Amino acid sequence: MTDGRLVFGAFTIERRYDARPERVFSAFADCEIKQRWMGCEHVASPVIEQLDFRIGGREVSRGGGEDGEHLFEGTYLDIVENDRFVFAFVMTVGGRKLSASIASVEILADGNGSRLIFNEQGVCFGQDGWVEREEGTAVGLQQMADWLVANGETV
């Protein structure tokens, strides 16, 4: 049960990767690749059930957590290959709708690598979950960095 409060929030995370923009973009767009790195410390064994990476396409993933199943349901609103994408999504935890957000990912060439700018804004329903959301997103982006390093130029 929620108390009815709406808690609005936003955050931006910037990272540099020693990988070309095409590789970073593929890490989001390719279901097999994304399944290898996605997740955060709050969600055990997340599984991508659907990844239709096109404008109007959906992404659905779920995994277990201490507070119950974590369900991500999103829709892609804008995609420019190897450059950026925008998506809207709802997070449900333990059967309770936790938040609704819109996020953008920009991937900019930076020397021999890329600079990624992740921006999310939205609303949490009934409690403030923005600190945890930013921390979880940062963990996921680090896992992607680790995957990119471990897999060299194979993407």
Side-chain angles (χ1 to χ4, degrees):
M1 171 96 35
T2 66
D3 65 8
R5 291 183 322 135
L6 297 178
V7 182
F8 297 92
F11 63 89
T12 299
I13 298 173
E14 292 194 37
R15 289 201 50 118
R16 186 180 188 291
Y17 296 99
D18 289 326
R20 298 178 324 276
E22 298 82 17
R23 290 190 65 227
V24 175
F25 188 86
S26 291
F28 287 100
D30 183 296
C31 188
E32 271 186 50
I33 295 170
K34 188 170 185 178
Q35 182 64 67
R36 293 179 189 152
W37 65 261
M38 68 170 272
C40 70
E41 70 277 10
H42 300 295
V43 184
S45 304
V47 174
I48 299 172
E49 296 178 356
Q50 179 181 2
L51 179 56
D52 182 9
F53 197 83
R54 63 178 177 82
I55 295 173
R58 289 183 31 86
E59 180 175 349
V60 178
S61 64
R62 66 179 79 228
E66 291 180 11
D67 45 0
E69 179 185 72
H70 289 231
L71 173 64
F72 170 99
E73 298 176 284
T75 302
Y76 291 97
L77 306 174
D78 179 63
I79 299 173
V80 176
E81 189 171 355
N82 301 323
D83 185 59
R84 70 169 190 257
F85 59 95
V86 177
F87 57 105
F89 65 97
V90 172
M91 289 292 303
T92 303
V93 176
R96 183 177 70 80
K97 192 182 303 180
L98 184 69
S99 64
S101 296
I102 186 165
S104 62
V105 175
E106 292 179 271
I107 304 166
L108 309 168
D110 185 16
N112 291 330
S114 303
R115 187 165 55 96
L116 180 138
I117 304 168
F118 181 98
N119 183 282
E120 181 177 337
Q121 55 189 314
V123 59
C124 288
F125 306 115
Q127 63 184 26
D128 187 349
W130 287 104
V131 169
E132 293 85 0
R133 177 65 58 75
E134 185 172 359
E135 289 172 354
T137 301
V139 167
L141 293 174
Q142 180 59 50
Q143 290 173 177
M144 185 178 76
D146 295 343
W147 186 89
L148 287 165
V149 167
N151 288 279
E153 293 293 321
T154 61
V155 175

